[in-house]
Amino acid sequence: VDGINLSSLTANLNGYVSEVGYPAISERGFVYSSNNNTPTINDSKVTADGDATGGSYSVQIKDLALDKTYYVKAYVSNSLGLFYSENTISFSTEATFPVVSVSSSTNMNLEVLTANVSGRIEDAGNPEYTEKGFVYGYNNKIPTVENDIVINVSGSQTGTFSTTLPDLVLGKNYYLRAFAKNAKGIAYSDTVSFLFDQTLAEIRTGDVTNFDFNTTVAILHGSITDVGNPAYQERGFVLS
């Protein structure tokens, strides 16, 4: 068995007729089942196209179900009856969730009430995810797509993705998760939180230098360690 594709739910089955026998074979193919570990003609059957001769043959089976173990036997038939391969091959269609992570918000803009957020697809899952984005709100500490605000982000690759959260409310503590969805279900990142509110700038007063007794002039120094949110609009010194 090769070419197992969980996105299209198909798999390629390969068989080999080592001895044609007599009378000549009239049909060759495979029987398979997810319920019977020794499948027979009473289970699912697929026949190979072309002349029923010796050698290799292959058939693609479709419409498989996810999270199943399938059992496969090759068979041939002639006028004497139906003959199965001695060995049984098994394969799994077990799906895996995507793996997704999230970063905390950046560039919070209190004037237009937005914030930028970033996530990352660490693993696309199998089958690969078909939808990704962010879910957020301020009521639930563990937001979900069913109960909170959802923003979808286009793209199907692994790596970083980002978007802007609109219409935020001042003074609210938001909870945010990234998500990705495939046929197995929805995978979420851990939850991060951020306070969407005004913050004061942080400033420090430095030393006074170059004081001149003759001209009574001095140089004042300060440093801003945090511009605040919204960013400060004026800076300077007060003295007495």
Side-chain angles (χ1 to χ4, degrees):
V1 182
D2 61 25
I4 300 171
N5 188 324
L6 297 187
S7 295
S8 59
L9 295 176
T10 60
N12 299 327
L13 308 182
N14 304 296
Y16 186 82
V17 178
S18 56
E19 179 62 49
V20 175
Y22 185 83
I25 60 175
S26 56
E27 183 178 288
R28 58 185 182 176
F30 301 92
V31 292
Y32 62 98
S33 172
S34 61
N35 301 313
N36 184 0
N37 59 10
T38 54
T40 69
I41 203 70
N42 296 319
D43 297 296
S44 298
K45 182 188 88 165
V46 60
T47 57
D49 294 332
D51 296 333
T53 58
S56 300
Y57 65 98
S58 299
V59 178
Q60 184 182 76
I61 55 174
K62 302 178 181 180
D63 300 323
L64 300 173
L66 286 174
D67 295 325
K68 295 285 187 179
T69 297
Y70 284 88
Y71 302 91
V72 182
K73 274 185 173 292
Y75 80 89
V76 297
S77 63
N78 63 12
S79 59
L80 297 178
L82 191 68
F83 303 91
Y84 297 104
S85 62
E86 292 184 358
N87 64 320
T88 302
I89 297 297
S90 65
F91 68 95
S92 173
T93 58
E94 181 180 0
T96 60
F97 281 111
V99 179
V100 60
S101 60
V102 67
S103 303
S104 21
S105 64
T106 59
N107 297 327
M108 289 187 286
N109 190 323
L110 275 63
E111 295 180 357
V112 294
L113 302 178
T114 62
N116 296 339
V117 292
S118 296
R120 183 175 178 83
I121 300 293
E122 310 289 349
D123 187 318
N126 192 5
E128 293 185 354
Y129 72 91
T130 56
E131 183 181 335
K132 68 181 176 185
F134 300 92
V135 57
Y136 66 100
Y138 52 78
N139 292 318
N140 298 319
K141 292 186 177 181
I142 304 179
T144 65
V145 297
E146 294 84 7
N147 300 314
D148 297 279
I149 303 170
V150 176
I151 293 185
N152 289 307
V153 179
S154 62
S156 59
Q157 68 279 2
T158 57
T160 301
F161 62 100
S162 60
T163 193
T164 299
L165 308 183
D167 303 323
L168 300 179
V169 179
L170 280 174
K172 295 295 185 179
N173 195 60
Y174 281 88
Y175 301 94
L176 169 76
R177 290 204 287 178
F179 75 90
K181 181 179 180 181
N182 70 354
K184 189 173 180 67
I186 300 175
Y188 292 98
S189 69
D190 292 336
T191 302
V192 297
S193 63
F194 62 94
L195 178 63
F196 189 73
D197 204 358
Q198 296 174 335
T199 59
L200 291 173
E202 295 181 5
I203 187 169
R204 305 179 72 177
T205 303
D207 295 333
V208 178
T209 62
N210 294 73
F211 180 71
D212 189 322
F213 284 96
N214 295 318
T215 60
T216 61
V217 171
I219 297 177
L220 309 180
H221 299 273
S223 61
I224 294 171
T225 56
D226 189 326
V227 299
N229 197 356
Y232 71 88
Q233 297 175 320
E234 182 179 340
R235 62 183 180 179
F237 299 93
V238 294
L239 62 156
S240 173

